[in-house]
Amino acid sequence: MCQLKHYCKILNGCTVLLLLFFSPLLSASTPLTLDQAERTALKGDPNIQASQLRALAAAQSAIASAQLADPKLSLGVFNVPIDDFSLKQNPSSQLRFGLSQTFAKGDSLRLQGLQAEYLALAQRHSSSLLQALLLRDVRQHFLETLYQQKALQILRKNRRYFAELLISSDNLYSVGRANQQAVLQAELELSRLDDQINQALNQLEIARASLAKWLPMAVETELLTSLPSLGQLAELPTLQQQLLQHPMIVRADAYIGAAKQGVRLAEEQYKPAVSLGLEYRQRFADEADGKEPVDMLAAMLSLDLPLFTDKRQDKRLAAQQYDYQALKWQRVDILRDMRQKLRAEYGNWQRLQQRSTRYQRQLLGQAAAHASAALSAYQSGVVDFPTLMYARISELDIRLRASRVEIDLLKAQAELLFYRVTVLPPQQGDKHAL
């Protein structure tokens, strides 16, 4: 009984070791889905990680920008005789201890904080935009890789058919039921298919290498052959309205908000800055009449006087106003460009839908029926071998085109989903929702 338990422990240990050894191979053989690719890419992209960290840094800087300047502490001795450096010889010798605080001009401190918060908000939307761009690019390259993979499968399947057709033609030629031209044409088409397969392998390697920018495992991992579902799309007017909530537009709004605070901040520079100070003065030497010295207290108020504003405050205000107007026009241009691209992509998506429907309902069935009829007619001696080859090549071409249209339809949908991305609603209490 003890030996049996010992053998069971050894067997369990070996099983664990085998699982650990073969688990990478098992995981590598599992087809990769688009959802897995998206999650992996979002999690490991360094640009998104860096952008999120910059957003956190900007949020911390916004808090610091709204704080008062540090108070100043002063300590010194005054009116010290240089012959003996004694503080008790001259009644005017003093030890001074002071504390002062400078206050910003007008409401500029609060405006600085608001401006920094808008810049932090813009950085957060930049991170959202990077995520949307990454998802679009990953979807595009994933779908292109999927097409090359499906095209290679179609070509290999047809190669097996042409190889069988070559053997059949060679057998018929040996018994005198086919001519040498049929055999040569079958060999030619088989060589052409080999070249197409080689080209498809090359394109598949290129597509996998492009996808490996975000997913290193894509170089060796097969993709799931079933077409992914990307979700439903709204009508064009709804998509155009949603552009106002796109991270690219909301980021532009945030920059405009920061520039507006910059204008207000420049207007505050016409006001004086205030500095308050309090100083304690300790004396050591007796008065001339022999009385003990009395310590003193001093309070100070200092103001900045912006008297000459034509080359400083006026110019800074004008610069901020120009920048504010420029950002508003830039937003108009960004929105116009996005609307134009959205209209073009939506039209392309609609045309591809029509083509995909035509291939699925008509062309694929017609091509298969034509090829089957040509084969039956050839076996019955009604048509010649070139007719059979033409029918089979036409079916292959239509299958490749149908697969291309299916993938292009999904790629167009992925492009439209990029324009459909909206910023999440702000949390309660967010005063900078734009």
Side-chain angles (χ1 to χ4, degrees):
M1 188 66 178
C2 295
Q3 290 181 347
L4 180 59
K5 291 182 177 179
H6 180 68
Y7 290 144
C8 289
K9 290 181 179 179
I10 295 176
L11 182 60
N12 290 335
C14 293
T15 303
V16 171
L17 291 175
L18 289 173
L19 289 175
L20 291 174
F21 179 77
F22 287 106
S23 59
L25 300 178
L26 293 174
S27 61
S29 62
T30 304
L32 183 65
T33 65
L34 179 58
D35 184 61
Q36 293 172 343
E38 291 175 357
R39 292 199 307 267
T40 304
L42 285 174
K43 185 177 180 181
D45 187 70
N47 290 327
I48 292 178
Q49 299 295 329
S51 178
Q52 291 174 345
L53 291 175
R54 282 193 292 267
L56 292 174
Q60 298 300 317
S61 297
I63 297 175
S65 299
Q67 307 306 313
L68 284 171
D70 293 332
K72 295 181 180 180
L73 176 67
S74 60
L75 179 65
V77 291
F78 294 81
N79 302 324
V80 180
I82 61 174
D83 54 351
D84 57 1
F85 297 99
S86 175
L87 296 177
K88 297 183 179 181
Q89 292 290 337
N90 192 335
S92 64
S93 297
Q94 300 172 356
L95 173 65
R96 296 184 183 182
F97 174 81
L99 190 65
S100 63
Q101 174 67 57
T102 301
F103 298 90
K105 296 183 177 183
D107 200 24
S108 60
L109 198 62
R110 184 183 67 86
L111 295 175
Q112 284 179 3
L114 284 176
Q115 186 181 44
E117 288 179 11
Y118 275 114
L119 292 176
L121 187 64
Q123 186 59 52
R124 290 202 298 272
H125 295 321
S126 293
S127 180
S128 300
L129 178 59
L130 283 177
Q131 294 180 40
L133 288 170
L134 181 139
L135 285 177
R136 183 191 66 179
D137 293 342
V138 168
R139 288 166 179 169
Q140 294 286 347
H141 288 285
F142 184 95
L143 292 170
E144 182 61 29
T145 305
L146 181 60
Y147 166 73
Q148 298 300 337
Q149 184 176 295
K150 292 172 71 68
L152 185 61
Q153 292 174 351
I154 294 173
L155 290 171
R156 283 174 172 171
K157 181 179 179 181
N158 277 270
R159 190 196 184 284
R160 289 193 294 269
Y161 174 83
F162 277 98
E164 294 173 358
L165 197 61
L166 175 61
I167 295 174
S168 176
S169 300
D170 191 55
N171 292 334
L172 292 175
Y173 174 70
S174 63
V175 296
R177 294 182 56 188
N179 54 30
Q180 188 179 10
Q181 182 182 3
V183 178
L184 294 176
Q185 187 171 3
E187 291 177 347
L188 174 62
E189 295 301 330
L190 190 62
S191 298
R192 290 177 57 186
L193 267 178
D194 287 336
D195 182 63
Q196 285 183 281
I197 290 173
N198 189 36
Q199 292 180 5
L201 283 170
N202 184 29
Q203 294 299 319
L204 179 60
E205 291 175 357
I206 294 174
R208 283 180 172 175
S210 300
L211 186 60
K213 174 182 178 180
W214 303 279
L215 305 167
M217 76 285 290
V219 177
E220 300 178 354
T221 306
E222 292 290 325
L223 305 185
L224 191 65
T225 54
S226 59
L227 296 178
S229 176
L230 297 180
Q232 299 295 325
L233 287 174
E235 298 294 330
L236 181 59
T238 303
L239 292 175
Q240 290 178 329
Q241 185 64 29
Q242 289 177 346
L243 287 179
L244 298 176
Q245 302 174 3
H246 195 275
M248 192 176 296
I249 298 299
V250 182
R251 182 183 64 174
D253 290 335
Y255 281 127
I256 292 173
K260 187 175 182 180
Q261 302 307 318
V263 173
R264 294 176 178 175
L265 188 59
E267 291 173 347
E268 294 296 310
Q269 301 308 305
Y270 290 90
K271 300 178 182 179
V274 179
S275 179
L276 297 177
L278 188 64
E279 189 175 84
Y280 172 74
R281 300 175 179 179
Q282 183 180 7
R283 298 193 299 164
F284 300 94
D286 294 337
E287 297 288 352
D289 56 3
K291 294 182 179 181
E292 292 184 1
V294 179
D295 294 340
M296 298 180 179
L297 190 65
M300 293 160 287
L301 170 66
S302 60
L303 299 175
D304 289 344
L305 300 178
L307 299 178
F308 308 100
T309 62
D310 56 335
K311 292 186 178 179
R312 180 176 295 179
Q313 284 84 354
D314 292 350
K315 300 302 181 183
R316 288 178 178 174
L317 177 59
Q320 292 296 330
Q321 289 173 338
Y322 289 144
D323 186 54
Y324 174 57
Q325 296 298 327
L327 288 173
K328 291 173 66 176
W329 283 112
Q330 186 177 2
R331 179 190 183 276
V332 172
D333 182 66
I334 293 173
L335 184 58
R336 181 182 62 174
D337 184 64
M338 293 181 68
R339 284 174 174 168
Q340 181 270 326
K341 290 180 179 178
L342 177 60
R343 284 193 294 268
E345 291 295 339
Y346 197 85
N348 180 46
W349 177 68
Q350 288 182 318
R351 300 290 86 77
L352 286 170
Q353 275 188 316
Q354 296 173 359
R355 292 185 62 193
S356 178
T357 301
R358 186 178 299 110
Y359 272 101
Q360 298 300 323
R361 294 182 180 179
Q362 298 177 9
L363 292 176
L364 284 173
Q366 291 172 352
H370 182 213
S372 178
L375 178 61
S376 299
Y378 175 73
Q379 291 174 344
S380 302
V382 177
V383 299
D384 56 1
F385 187 76
T387 303
L388 173 62
M389 295 293 294
Y390 174 77
R392 191 64 188 184
I393 292 172
S394 297
E395 184 188 13
L396 170 61
D397 182 65
I398 288 177
R399 287 191 177 277
L400 289 175
R401 289 177 180 271
S403 180
R404 179 78 266 179
V405 169
E406 283 182 335
I407 296 299
D408 286 345
L409 177 61
L410 288 173
K411 292 175 75 172
Q413 188 174 354
E415 191 71 26
L416 289 174
L417 288 175
F418 167 74
Y419 293 102
R420 197 190 68 175
V421 172
T422 56
V423 178
L424 294 177
Q427 297 180 355
Q428 185 176 3
D430 189 354
K431 57 185 177 181
H432 302 295
L434 297 175

